[in-house]
């Protein structure tokens, strides 16, 4: 069965803010965080989705896993365990803690048994460039205009196989995304040309993330 999978980056894409800075500033820990930042991987706090009742709208969330230990301390681990190995080995500007290109590849592999699906990927940062290179013909890349991934893409557009559709703000994101989803669904033989709001996302199975034993030690 054909369909569409929509993949979002989080900061500056789903939310027009940096969630890490917002949480740290709200806790009054800005000075300490800036001191520790050079020694720790960046982590987006997805609790914002739960707070706004949006978590269940996503079939899968990939982020640096975190947990509160027995002492009540928040422990954050890298998605790709670069503490005990050579990380993911990617050379496409990915941070050591996560290669989104590998995540896209895993999702693509999972789609093989489900039939052809087209991917729409939305992002803004340098870390979104690697997954954009993994997209194939028939897929769509939606980079946020004048942000790092957009600048990387426009510097050499032929490197991407996917169609490129830029956006600038939430209103334009919605307009472009709904248009692309309707294009995909309308192309299916037995699917009528649907109004922009009369559709539902195809979903992929939720993949649990294995926890790493190594935790990030934060001095206090």
């Amino acid at each position: 069965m054909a369909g569409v999978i929509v993949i979002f980056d989080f900061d500056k894409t789903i939310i027009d803010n940096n969630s890490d800075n917002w949480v740290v500033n709200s806790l009054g820990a800005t000075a300490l965080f800036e001191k520790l930042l050079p020694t720790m991987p960046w982590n987006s706090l997805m609790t914002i989705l739960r707070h706004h009742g949006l978590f269940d709208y996503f079939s899968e969330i990939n982020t640096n896993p975190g947990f509160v230990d027995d002492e009540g301390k928040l422990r954050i681990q890298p998605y790709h365990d670069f503490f005990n190995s050579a990380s993911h080995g990617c050379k496409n500007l990915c941070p050591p803690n996560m290669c989104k290109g590998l995540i896209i590849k895993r999702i693509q592999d999972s789609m093989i048994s489900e039939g052809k699906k087209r991917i729409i990927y939305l992002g803004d940062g340098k870390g979104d460039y690697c997954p954009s290179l993994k997209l194939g013909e028939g897929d769509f890349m939606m980079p946020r205009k004048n942000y790092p991934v957009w600048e990387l893409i426009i510097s050499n557009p032929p490197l991407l196989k996917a169609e490129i559709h830029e956006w600038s703000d939430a209103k334009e994101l919605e307009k472009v995304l709904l248009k692309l989803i309707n294009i995909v669904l309308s192309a299916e033989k037995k699917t009528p040309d649907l109004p922009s709001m009369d559709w539902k996302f195809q979903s992929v199975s939720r993949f649990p993330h294995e926890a790493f034993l190594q935790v990030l030690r934060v001095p206090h």
Side-chain angles (χ1 to χ4, degrees):
M1 178 180 178
V4 57
I5 294 177
V6 181
I7 302 175
F8 294 88
D9 177 42
F10 191 68
D11 290 349
K12 303 294 181 68
T13 300
I14 289 183
I15 62 172
D16 195 13
N17 205 333
N18 186 303
S19 61
D20 302 277
N21 288 345
W22 181 84
V23 171
V24 171
N25 293 340
S26 298
L27 292 173
T30 304
L32 176 60
F33 183 78
E34 291 179 350
K35 180 180 179 180
L36 294 174
L37 183 57
T39 66
M40 57 192 293
W42 207 246
N43 182 71
S44 292
L45 298 177
M46 301 302 175
T47 54
I48 294 175
L49 293 179
R50 290 188 184 275
H51 176 74
H52 290 282
L54 299 174
F55 185 81
D56 290 335
Y57 285 91
F58 297 86
S59 57
E60 174 177 342
I61 293 178
N62 296 279
T63 187
N64 298 314
F67 66 97
V68 177
D69 66 14
D70 294 338
E71 298 178 357
K73 298 176 182 178
L74 176 63
R75 305 295 187 181
I76 300 174
Q77 303 164 323
Y79 185 89
H80 290 119
D81 185 10
F82 66 92
F83 289 116
N84 299 315
S85 65
S87 188
H88 44 70
C90 179
K91 306 298 183 182
N92 291 321
L93 303 176
C94 294
N97 60 297
M98 178 182 288
C99 171
K100 296 180 183 178
L102 290 179
I103 294 174
I104 289 290
K105 180 62 167 58
R106 190 257 300 156
I107 292 174
Q108 290 171 327
D109 290 343
S110 74
M111 292 161 43
I112 295 176
S113 62
E114 301 176 10
K116 175 62 177 177
K117 294 181 184 290
R118 298 169 72 177
I119 294 176
I120 303 175
Y121 188 98
L122 300 88
D124 68 281
K126 290 182 179 180
D128 297 307
Y129 185 60
C130 182
S132 73
L133 297 175
K134 304 294 184 183
L135 300 176
E137 294 182 2
D139 293 333
F140 302 95
M141 176 61 191
M142 289 181 57
R144 189 169 188 179
K145 188 175 181 180
N146 295 324
Y147 278 71
V149 72
W150 178 83
E151 294 173 349
L152 288 167
I153 289 173
I154 64 170
S155 68
N156 197 348
L159 289 180
L160 270 69
K161 297 179 181 178
E163 289 186 20
I164 302 168
H165 296 264
E166 63 187 32
W167 57 279
S168 298
D169 53 30
K171 184 176 181 179
E172 190 172 12
L173 182 156
E174 178 185 22
K175 179 180 178 180
V176 175
L177 178 58
L178 293 179
K179 177 182 177 181
L180 295 180
I181 291 174
N182 279 320
I183 287 174
V184 174
L185 298 184
S186 297
E188 298 181 21
K189 292 182 179 180
K190 296 183 179 181
T191 303
D193 192 0
L194 303 176
S196 61
M197 296 305 294
D198 291 340
W199 49 264
K200 293 184 179 179
F201 287 104
Q202 293 283 339
S203 63
V204 295
S205 300
R206 189 183 299 274
F207 291 83
H209 189 279
E210 296 180 0
F212 297 115
L213 295 178
Q214 179 69 39
V215 299
L216 181 65
R217 302 296 178 185
V218 180
H220 58 88

